Amino acid sequence: MSGGTQAMTGHPSGALVFYSAFDDFDTWKNALHACLPSLRILHASEVTDPAGIHYALAWKPPAGFFDSMRNLRLIINLGAGVDALVGRKDLPANVPITRITDPDMARMMAGYVLFATLRHAREIPWFEQAQRRGEWAYRHPRSPRDIRVGVLGLGELGAHAAHELQRQGLTVLGWSRSPREIPGVRCHAGMDALDTVIAQSDILVIMLPLTPQTHGLLGRERLERLPRGASLINVARGALVDQAAMTALLRDGHIGAATLDVFTHEPLPADDPLWRMENVLITPHLASVAIPASAATQIAGNILRVARGEAPLHEIDPSRGY
Ligand code: NDP
């Protein structure tokens, strides 16, 4: 289903409202229109009759956005992480919430994680530093099998990334809340197993949702359980990690290097010491994004399900936070 849209049969009633400060309305409108030609699609700024809105496709809308939409039937989070949505006060009761669940988004995330992991596995940051000193600094590469990669979070994105990592011959450990099975990945579940996974990770990849249970999960004590010199990759949410403790451990070498796409405060403030650390690679929260052409198929499918009176697929559980 990836890489293209196709018209679907069915006539959803009402209109869809779109809001995102990051995504292009016309691109999304065209992609959705190709799937659901009869659906009225409005930008939030065009809405004159909030009661006629049955579907909302939104990323971080302003407070009160949903207040007057009293006939909403489905909220679609324009992204995978729903942490900014689930705690809102203006969410109507009993309206299902879904998120983007799209193979192209998982592929894009796995690409970033592969790049970052292999960069650490092949010690590229160390060679970059040697190059800046004009030094031919030979270091014999390690066998992929001898490099242990821990993946925290084995959901839509995490499971795909773990699968791609084990395809590289790396030793991959996974961690989730409920038991999972991924061929070639040593899967662990539950809080009791977390410290074991961390202690065995030469490279730790964070791919958990931000929820009340995972907020601050990687505090100083847990980060200190990493083998000395381990690398850290965070593509999930900054608040999962104690950023001050992580910075201190990067400074003293306990954490050897990090690739960080997410931060406690975004944009990362200009005076943050992480910007100037040689062993840190910073990207501005773009490890993966929703891709209209492929995601529209999933969104349209769910709109039609709801229009037929069925539950949407991939519904999130607000009480669980993801
Ligand atoms: P999912 O919701 O599909 O999966 C979440 C995974 O985390 C599941 O394996 C779940 O366990 C596990 N988990 C949740 N809570 C706990 C807990 N308390 N203890 C142990 N495991 C837990 O998420 P995705 O894979 O789709 O995405 C992960 C996160 O990536 C998103 O929430 C978002 O924050 C971030 N993201 C970042 C992007 C970026 O550009 N940087 C882009 C897109 C997403 P179980 O399997 O048992 O349910």
Side-chain angles (χ1 to χ4, degrees):
M1 81 166 210
S2 70
T5 49
Q6 50 184 303
M8 296 178 177
T9 50
H11 296 283
S13 62
L16 176 141
V17 63
F18 174 95
Y19 180 91
S20 171
F22 294 90
D23 301 272
D24 181 58
F25 172 57
D26 287 332
T27 309
W28 278 96
K29 186 177 175 177
N30 292 338
L32 286 167
H33 183 75
C35 298
L36 291 174
S38 65
L39 181 67
R40 279 184 69 219
I41 301 167
L42 303 171
H43 189 272
S45 59
E46 299 170 320
V47 175
T48 51
D49 172 25
I53 300 294
H54 288 190
Y55 312 97
L57 172 61
W59 179 250
K60 297 189 177 173
F65 180 77
F66 298 109
D67 273 342
S68 51
M69 298 179 192
R70 57 179 188 278
N71 292 317
L72 260 188
R73 301 175 68 181
L74 177 65
I75 297 173
I76 305 139
N77 182 61
L78 212 174
V82 292
D83 46 290
L85 187 65
V86 288
R88 291 173 65 109
K89 303 257 184 296
D90 59 347
L91 283 183
N94 304 322
V95 174
I97 301 174
T98 61
R99 33 126 340 160
I100 303 282
T101 304
D102 166 28
D104 279 4
M105 189 179 197
R107 238 188 312 272
M108 186 186 272
M109 177 60 94
Y112 184 104
V113 170
L114 261 183
F115 149 74
T117 303
L118 294 177
R119 182 171 172 270
H120 291 298
R122 295 303 305 263
E123 303 184 90
I124 300 300
W126 192 81
F127 293 114
E128 284 169 347
Q129 288 170 31
Q131 180 178 346
R132 282 196 282 276
R133 296 191 301 273
E135 241 176 64
W136 182 270
Y138 187 87
R139 258 191 183 183
H140 204 65
R142 289 171 292 169
S143 154
R145 192 172 291 110
D146 295 338
I147 302 170
R148 301 162 301 174
V149 185
V151 180
L152 305 185
L154 299 173
E156 295 290 334
L157 305 179
H160 192 81
H163 170 73
E164 291 296 329
L165 290 167
Q166 65 81 30
R167 271 165 40 93
Q168 297 297 316
L170 296 153
T171 295
V172 182
L173 298 89
W175 184 73
S176 55
R177 191 156 83 153
S178 50
R180 294 262 166 170
E181 272 183 37
I182 303 171
V185 177
R186 297 182 197 166
C187 293
H188 301 257
M191 283 309 292
D192 292 349
L194 177 58
D195 287 347
T196 311
V197 172
I198 292 175
Q200 291 178 31
S201 297
D202 301 308
I203 300 171
L204 187 69
V205 190
I206 306 173
M207 304 193 74
L208 291 162
L210 180 63
T211 70
Q213 284 72 43
T214 61
H215 195 281
L217 187 73
L218 291 140
R220 185 173 188 111
E221 245 179 69
R222 286 229 167 78
L223 293 172
E224 281 176 341
R225 288 183 198 276
L226 283 165
R228 190 169 177 82
S231 301
L232 186 69
I233 298 166
N234 190 1
V235 289
R237 289 290 181 267
L240 293 159
V241 182
D242 178 340
Q243 193 167 298
M246 176 188 72
T247 305
L249 292 169
L250 276 161
R251 201 176 272 131
D252 80 11
H254 186 89
I255 300 178
T259 302
L260 305 171
D261 187 52
V262 289
F263 304 87
T264 312
H265 299 291
E266 295 180 5
L268 183 66
D271 60 352
D272 195 289
L274 286 169
W275 282 116
R276 281 166 291 284
M277 296 177 80
E278 282 232 316
N279 51 352
V280 176
L281 176 65
I282 290 171
T283 53
H285 199 145
L286 44 62
S288 186
V289 294
I291 300 163
S294 56
T297 314
Q298 179 226 351
I299 295 169
N302 267 338
I303 289 174
L304 288 177
R305 288 179 69 89
V306 170
R308 289 195 299 263
E310 296 167 22
L313 299 176
H314 304 290
E315 207 174 318
I316 66 120
D317 175 355
S319 68
R320 199 176 63 160
Y322 71 101

PDB file of all heavy atoms in Angstrom, residues 4 42 67 75-76 79 115 118 145 147 172 204 206 231-232 249 264 267 272:
ATOM      1  N   GLY A   4       1.718   5.384  -2.946  1.00  0.00           N
ATOM      2  CA  GLY A   4       0.706   5.761  -3.922  1.00  0.00           C
ATOM      3  C   GLY A   4      -0.658   5.794  -3.293  1.00  0.00           C
ATOM      4  O   GLY A   4      -0.886   5.212  -2.258  1.00  0.00           O
ATOM      5  N   LEU A  42     -11.014  20.833   4.603  1.00  0.00           N
ATOM      6  CA  LEU A  42     -10.848  22.261   4.878  1.00  0.00           C
ATOM      7  C   LEU A  42      -9.627  22.502   5.752  1.00  0.00           C
ATOM      8  O   LEU A  42      -9.357  21.719   6.678  1.00  0.00           O
ATOM      9  CB  LEU A  42     -12.068  22.795   5.648  1.00  0.00           C
ATOM     10  CG  LEU A  42     -13.440  22.619   5.001  1.00  0.00           C
ATOM     11  CD1 LEU A  42     -14.533  22.991   5.991  1.00  0.00           C
ATOM     12  CD2 LEU A  42     -13.513  23.499   3.760  1.00  0.00           C
ATOM     13  N   ASP A  67     -12.934  22.375  20.735  1.00  0.00           N
ATOM     14  CA  ASP A  67     -14.063  22.755  21.592  1.00  0.00           C
ATOM     15  C   ASP A  67     -15.423  22.770  20.880  1.00  0.00           C
ATOM     16  O   ASP A  67     -16.391  22.208  21.374  1.00  0.00           O
ATOM     17  CB  ASP A  67     -13.816  24.145  22.202  1.00  0.00           C
ATOM     18  CG  ASP A  67     -13.015  24.037  23.490  1.00  0.00           C
ATOM     19  OD1 ASP A  67     -12.969  22.918  24.051  1.00  0.00           O
ATOM     20  OD2 ASP A  67     -12.444  25.052  23.926  1.00  0.00           O
ATOM     21  N   ILE A  75     -10.417  11.550  15.397  1.00  0.00           N
ATOM     22  CA  ILE A  75      -9.263  12.458  15.429  1.00  0.00           C
ATOM     23  C   ILE A  75      -8.056  11.668  14.943  1.00  0.00           C
ATOM     24  O   ILE A  75      -7.758  10.590  15.479  1.00  0.00           O
ATOM     25  CB  ILE A  75      -9.016  12.999  16.852  1.00  0.00           C
ATOM     26  CG1 ILE A  75     -10.220  13.844  17.308  1.00  0.00           C
ATOM     27  CG2 ILE A  75      -7.725  13.819  16.910  1.00  0.00           C
ATOM     28  CD1 ILE A  75     -10.147  14.284  18.759  1.00  0.00           C
ATOM     29  N   ILE A  76      -7.377  12.218  13.933  1.00  0.00           N
ATOM     30  CA  ILE A  76      -6.186  11.545  13.404  1.00  0.00           C
ATOM     31  C   ILE A  76      -4.984  12.421  13.741  1.00  0.00           C
ATOM     32  O   ILE A  76      -4.889  13.569  13.280  1.00  0.00           O
ATOM     33  CB  ILE A  76      -6.289  11.361  11.872  1.00  0.00           C
ATOM     34  CG1 ILE A  76      -7.585  10.616  11.517  1.00  0.00           C
ATOM     35  CG2 ILE A  76      -5.066  10.635  11.322  1.00  0.00           C
ATOM     36  CD1 ILE A  76      -8.291  11.168  10.303  1.00  0.00           C
ATOM     37  N   GLY A  79       1.023  12.287  12.892  1.00  0.00           N
ATOM     38  CA  GLY A  79       2.347  11.868  13.320  1.00  0.00           C
ATOM     39  C   GLY A  79       2.187  10.582  14.105  1.00  0.00           C
ATOM     40  O   GLY A  79       1.059  10.095  14.294  1.00  0.00           O
ATOM     41  N   PHE A 115      21.539   4.439   9.995  1.00  0.00           N
ATOM     42  CA  PHE A 115      22.645   5.375   9.764  1.00  0.00           C
ATOM     43  C   PHE A 115      23.360   5.675  11.082  1.00  0.00           C
ATOM     44  O   PHE A 115      24.583   5.578  11.186  1.00  0.00           O
ATOM     45  CB  PHE A 115      22.122   6.665   9.128  1.00  0.00           C
ATOM     46  CG  PHE A 115      22.918   7.885   9.512  1.00  0.00           C
ATOM     47  CD1 PHE A 115      24.183   8.092   8.972  1.00  0.00           C
ATOM     48  CD2 PHE A 115      22.435   8.791  10.455  1.00  0.00           C
ATOM     49  CE1 PHE A 115      24.941   9.195   9.363  1.00  0.00           C
ATOM     50  CE2 PHE A 115      23.181   9.878  10.836  1.00  0.00           C
ATOM     51  CZ  PHE A 115      24.443  10.087  10.298  1.00  0.00           C
ATOM     52  N   LEU A 118      25.096   2.454  12.649  1.00  0.00           N
ATOM     53  CA  LEU A 118      26.306   2.026  11.921  1.00  0.00           C
ATOM     54  C   LEU A 118      27.418   3.059  12.080  1.00  0.00           C
ATOM     55  O   LEU A 118      28.600   2.715  12.145  1.00  0.00           O
ATOM     56  CB  LEU A 118      25.975   1.780  10.446  1.00  0.00           C
ATOM     57  CG  LEU A 118      25.028   0.596  10.200  1.00  0.00           C
ATOM     58  CD1 LEU A 118      24.691   0.474   8.716  1.00  0.00           C
ATOM     59  CD2 LEU A 118      25.640  -0.716  10.709  1.00  0.00           C
ATOM     60  N   ARG A 145      28.704  -8.787  14.936  1.00  0.00           N
ATOM     61  CA  ARG A 145      28.134  -9.696  15.945  1.00  0.00           C
ATOM     62  C   ARG A 145      28.569  -9.315  17.357  1.00  0.00           C
ATOM     63  O   ARG A 145      27.859  -9.554  18.335  1.00  0.00           O
ATOM     64  CB  ARG A 145      28.571 -11.131  15.629  1.00  0.00           C
ATOM     65  CG  ARG A 145      27.815 -12.192  16.412  1.00  0.00           C
ATOM     66  CD  ARG A 145      28.128 -13.589  15.930  1.00  0.00           C
ATOM     67  NE  ARG A 145      27.592 -13.862  14.612  1.00  0.00           N
ATOM     68  CZ  ARG A 145      28.334 -14.007  13.501  1.00  0.00           C
ATOM     69  NH1 ARG A 145      29.631 -13.911  13.553  1.00  0.00           N
ATOM     70  NH2 ARG A 145      27.764 -14.249  12.353  1.00  0.00           N
ATOM     71  N   ILE A 147      28.931  -6.388  18.473  1.00  0.00           N
ATOM     72  CA  ILE A 147      28.366  -5.091  18.893  1.00  0.00           C
ATOM     73  C   ILE A 147      26.902  -5.298  19.274  1.00  0.00           C
ATOM     74  O   ILE A 147      26.084  -5.756  18.457  1.00  0.00           O
ATOM     75  CB  ILE A 147      28.488  -4.040  17.758  1.00  0.00           C
ATOM     76  CG1 ILE A 147      29.967  -3.891  17.390  1.00  0.00           C
ATOM     77  CG2 ILE A 147      27.887  -2.704  18.189  1.00  0.00           C
ATOM     78  CD1 ILE A 147      30.216  -3.068  16.144  1.00  0.00           C
ATOM     79  N   VAL A 172      21.157  -7.780  18.449  1.00  0.00           N
ATOM     80  CA  VAL A 172      20.116  -6.814  18.798  1.00  0.00           C
ATOM     81  C   VAL A 172      19.275  -7.321  19.975  1.00  0.00           C
ATOM     82  O   VAL A 172      18.774  -8.453  19.963  1.00  0.00           O
ATOM     83  CB  VAL A 172      19.218  -6.495  17.588  1.00  0.00           C
ATOM     84  CG1 VAL A 172      18.162  -5.459  17.951  1.00  0.00           C
ATOM     85  CG2 VAL A 172      20.074  -5.986  16.421  1.00  0.00           C
ATOM     86  N   LEU A 204      22.669   2.154  22.538  1.00  0.00           N
ATOM     87  CA  LEU A 204      21.285   2.111  23.021  1.00  0.00           C
ATOM     88  C   LEU A 204      20.436   3.057  22.177  1.00  0.00           C
ATOM     89  O   LEU A 204      20.762   4.242  22.045  1.00  0.00           O
ATOM     90  CB  LEU A 204      21.224   2.525  24.493  1.00  0.00           C
ATOM     91  CG  LEU A 204      19.852   2.358  25.159  1.00  0.00           C
ATOM     92  CD1 LEU A 204      19.510   0.870  25.318  1.00  0.00           C
ATOM     93  CD2 LEU A 204      19.824   3.041  26.536  1.00  0.00           C
ATOM     94  N   ILE A 206      16.728   4.737  21.674  1.00  0.00           N
ATOM     95  CA  ILE A 206      15.482   4.998  22.401  1.00  0.00           C
ATOM     96  C   ILE A 206      14.362   5.242  21.400  1.00  0.00           C
ATOM     97  O   ILE A 206      14.404   6.200  20.619  1.00  0.00           O
ATOM     98  CB  ILE A 206      15.653   6.203  23.352  1.00  0.00           C
ATOM     99  CG1 ILE A 206      16.857   5.962  24.260  1.00  0.00           C
ATOM    100  CG2 ILE A 206      14.386   6.422  24.177  1.00  0.00           C
ATOM    101  CD1 ILE A 206      17.203   7.158  25.120  1.00  0.00           C
ATOM    102  N   SER A 231      27.318   4.149  23.162  1.00  0.00           N
ATOM    103  CA  SER A 231      26.712   5.258  22.400  1.00  0.00           C
ATOM    104  C   SER A 231      25.210   5.286  22.654  1.00  0.00           C
ATOM    105  O   SER A 231      24.588   4.241  22.892  1.00  0.00           O
ATOM    106  CB  SER A 231      26.948   5.067  20.901  1.00  0.00           C
ATOM    107  OG  SER A 231      28.317   5.006  20.637  1.00  0.00           O
ATOM    108  N   LEU A 232      24.662   6.482  22.566  1.00  0.00           N
ATOM    109  CA  LEU A 232      23.236   6.662  22.814  1.00  0.00           C
ATOM    110  C   LEU A 232      22.598   7.318  21.587  1.00  0.00           C
ATOM    111  O   LEU A 232      23.149   8.282  21.043  1.00  0.00           O
ATOM    112  CB  LEU A 232      23.058   7.568  24.042  1.00  0.00           C
ATOM    113  CG  LEU A 232      21.642   7.761  24.558  1.00  0.00           C
ATOM    114  CD1 LEU A 232      21.118   6.458  25.161  1.00  0.00           C
ATOM    115  CD2 LEU A 232      21.615   8.859  25.626  1.00  0.00           C
ATOM    116  N   LEU A 249      27.444  12.812  31.564  1.00  0.00           N
ATOM    117  CA  LEU A 249      28.056  11.507  31.267  1.00  0.00           C
ATOM    118  C   LEU A 249      28.753  11.514  29.901  1.00  0.00           C
ATOM    119  O   LEU A 249      29.747  10.804  29.702  1.00  0.00           O
ATOM    120  CB  LEU A 249      26.999  10.395  31.336  1.00  0.00           C
ATOM    121  CG  LEU A 249      26.459  10.131  32.754  1.00  0.00           C
ATOM    122  CD1 LEU A 249      25.239   9.226  32.720  1.00  0.00           C
ATOM    123  CD2 LEU A 249      27.545   9.511  33.639  1.00  0.00           C
ATOM    124  N   THR A 264      14.790  17.946  25.478  1.00  0.00           N
ATOM    125  CA  THR A 264      13.798  18.346  26.478  1.00  0.00           C
ATOM    126  C   THR A 264      13.085  19.611  26.005  1.00  0.00           C
ATOM    127  O   THR A 264      11.867  19.711  26.108  1.00  0.00           O
ATOM    128  CB  THR A 264      14.494  18.621  27.827  1.00  0.00           C
ATOM    129  OG1 THR A 264      15.370  17.534  28.086  1.00  0.00           O
ATOM    130  CG2 THR A 264      13.486  18.752  28.945  1.00  0.00           C
ATOM    131  N   PRO A 267      13.116  24.270  19.891  1.00  0.00           N
ATOM    132  CA  PRO A 267      14.489  23.997  19.472  1.00  0.00           C
ATOM    133  C   PRO A 267      15.456  23.979  20.673  1.00  0.00           C
ATOM    134  O   PRO A 267      15.228  24.691  21.655  1.00  0.00           O
ATOM    135  CB  PRO A 267      14.827  25.171  18.546  1.00  0.00           C
ATOM    136  CG  PRO A 267      13.525  25.840  18.214  1.00  0.00           C
ATOM    137  CD  PRO A 267      12.585  25.520  19.315  1.00  0.00           C
ATOM    138  N   ASP A 272      22.959  25.744  24.838  1.00  0.00           N
ATOM    139  CA  ASP A 272      23.051  24.394  25.427  1.00  0.00           C
ATOM    140  C   ASP A 272      24.426  23.801  25.131  1.00  0.00           C
ATOM    141  O   ASP A 272      24.887  23.829  23.982  1.00  0.00           O
ATOM    142  CB  ASP A 272      21.944  23.490  24.869  1.00  0.00           C
ATOM    143  CG  ASP A 272      21.789  22.230  25.710  1.00  0.00           C
ATOM    144  OD1 ASP A 272      22.696  21.355  25.646  1.00  0.00           O
ATOM    145  OD2 ASP A 272      20.801  22.128  26.455  1.00  0.00           O
TER     146      ASP A 272
END
